């Protein structure tokens, strides 16, 4: 997604960031650590691991903090996959999965989504390959029930199943409790979306102790000080102020439903999202035209020039005021298109 340098020119609804700032407790914690930047940070992230373990109801040994969940995913591909151990994932999903497999020369098994853009669980049951599933899925926002993911995990006992839960806090159910039952399940989460720390880069791997030990072997071989001092402090404070973030996530979900209904009234088809974005298309306007025209009007959304999804735009949920501006622009563009016809 574009990262414009002059933010005053745009309403930025293209990279799924939170529209709300970190809590005051996070800002204060970061300020306290800023004066200690002459010292190395704790490579074991002891306080952060304990806080995260308390949050998710697991042990600190089940948690690995990372430099964003992208680092978690990279460590997982590097640790569990190679030329003889392929990775399977959907054809429409988070784009970094294919980037990592290409970089690491890992064979891939790309499995098409159904026509309605849902994941077909039966395509992954008994696959006997390492599997990566974003739940809710990027770019669609559609979530699988945990029971269906559990069946995938159960049916592939000799392979690692990675469940990428970047958007789970916006209405989906987490698979974290399943790590107590399955030693081949690795869950990844991020504080970039619901916890307003996209710029701090903080992610987590959550799994059985053996999987976390394997990932730590990679971490300490590549990037032992991967989570900096201020980000560790920010993460602990964000967990302590959990109510602030849960409230913001609830507001984003309400705004998402408001926006979805308004888009449908304008003739858009909108996929059922459990993320902090909507994936929408209009039968009379191409996705590229929508993206281009909105950008000219100062609103950034995301367009993917790919088969099957080129007609869509992905719209991050901002504040209610930001979404009203987006909708007014859609109304204006729609009316202009009708007049041209």
């Amino acid at each position: 997604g574009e990262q414009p340098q002059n933010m005053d020119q745009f309403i930025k609804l293209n990279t799924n960031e939170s529209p709300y700032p970190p809590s005051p407790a996070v800002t204060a914690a970061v300020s306290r650590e800023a004066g200690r930047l002459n010292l190395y940070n704790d490579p074991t992230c002891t306080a952060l691991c304990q806080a995260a373990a308390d949050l998710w109801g697991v042990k600190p040994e089940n948690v690995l903090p990372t430099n964003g969940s992208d680092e978690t995913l990279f460590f997982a591909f590097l640790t569990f996959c190679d030329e003889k151990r392929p990775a399977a994932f959907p054809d429409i999903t988070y784009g970094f999965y294919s980037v990592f497999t290409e970089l690491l020369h890992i064979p891939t098994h790309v499995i098409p989504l159904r026509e309605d853009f849902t994941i077909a669980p039966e395509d992954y049951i008994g696959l006997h390959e390492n599997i990566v599933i974003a739940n809710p899925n990027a770019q669609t926002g559609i979530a699988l029930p945990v029971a269906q993911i559990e069946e995938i995990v159960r049916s592939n006992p000799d392979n690692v199943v990675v469940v990428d839960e970047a958007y789970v806090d916006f209405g989906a159910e987490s698979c974290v409790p399943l790590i107590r039952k399955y030693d081949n399940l690795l869950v990844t989460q991020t504080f970039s979306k619901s916890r307003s720390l996209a710029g701090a880069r903080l992610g987590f791997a959550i799994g059985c102790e053996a999987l976390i030990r394997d990932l730590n072997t990679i971490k300490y071989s590549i990037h032992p000080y991967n989570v900096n001092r201020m980000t560790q402090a920010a993460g602990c404070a964000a967990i302590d102020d959990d109510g602030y973030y849960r409230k913001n996530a609830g507001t984003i979900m309400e705004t998402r439903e408001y926006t979805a209904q308004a888009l449908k009234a304008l003739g858009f088809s909108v996929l059922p999202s459990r993320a902090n974005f909507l994936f929408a298309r209009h039968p009379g306007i191409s996705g590229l035209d929508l993206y281009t025209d909105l950008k000219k009007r100062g609103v950034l959304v995301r367009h993917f020039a790919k088969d099957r999804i080129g007609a869509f735009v992905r719209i991050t949920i901002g504040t209610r005021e930001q979404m009203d501006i987006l909708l007014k622009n859609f109304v204006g563009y729609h009316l202009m298109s009708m007049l041209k016809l």
Side-chain angles (χ1 to χ4, degrees), residues 69 72-73 76 88 93 97 119 130-137 143-146 148-153 160-168 172-176 178-179 184-190 204-207 211:
S69 61
T72 303
L73 293 164
T93 192
Y97 304 159
I119 291 173
N130 293 325
I131 294 167
V132 185
I133 293 176
N135 197 54
N137 194 21
L144 278 177
V146 166
Q148 293 182 353
I149 294 178
E150 182 174 7
E151 183 57 29
I152 293 170
V153 175
V160 176
V161 178
V162 179
V163 181
D164 181 355
E165 294 188 342
Y167 303 103
V168 74
E173 185 181 359
S174 176
C175 289
V176 167
L178 294 181
I179 71 163
N184 63 323
L185 171 64
L186 185 73
V187 179
T188 74
Q189 290 210 6
T190 180
F204 291 91
I206 310 151
L211 292 185

Side-chain angles (χ1 to χ4, degrees), residues 41-189:
N41 50 296
D42 174 13
T44 66
C45 303
T46 301
L48 183 57
C49 284
Q50 185 62 64
D54 292 342
L55 176 68
W56 289 309
V58 297
K59 296 183 295 184
E61 295 79 10
N62 298 128
V63 177
L64 170 64
T66 55
N67 193 292
S69 61
D70 288 340
E71 187 176 61
T72 303
L73 293 164
F74 179 70
F75 286 172
F77 279 107
L78 189 58
T79 304
F80 305 120
C81 301
D82 56 30
E83 291 85 350
K84 296 181 180 179
R85 295 178 295 174
F89 47 80
D91 62 334
I92 299 169
T93 192
Y94 185 40
F96 253 134
Y97 304 159
S98 59
V99 170
F100 290 148
T101 56
E102 290 175 17
L103 177 66
L104 299 171
H105 305 289
I106 296 167
T108 60
H109 181 184
V110 178
I111 301 175
L113 297 181
R114 293 169 173 153
E115 287 300 312
D116 63 357
F117 298 101
T118 58
I119 291 173
E122 62 270 19
D123 290 342
Y124 298 85
I125 291 174
L127 194 59
H128 305 301
E129 296 174 348
N130 293 325
I131 294 167
V132 185
I133 293 176
N135 197 54
N137 194 21
Q139 308 307 325
T140 66
I142 299 173
L144 278 177
V146 166
Q148 293 182 353
I149 294 178
E150 182 174 7
E151 183 57 29
I152 293 170
V153 175
R154 183 190 298 117
S155 69
N156 292 280
D158 297 323
N159 298 92
V160 176
V161 178
V162 179
V163 181
D164 181 355
E165 294 188 342
Y167 303 103
V168 74
D169 290 334
F170 301 103
E173 185 181 359
S174 176
C175 289
V176 167
L178 294 181
I179 71 163
R180 302 185 190 94
K181 294 175 62 177
Y182 302 99
D183 61 7
N184 63 323
L185 171 64
L186 185 73
V187 179
T188 74
Q189 290 210 6

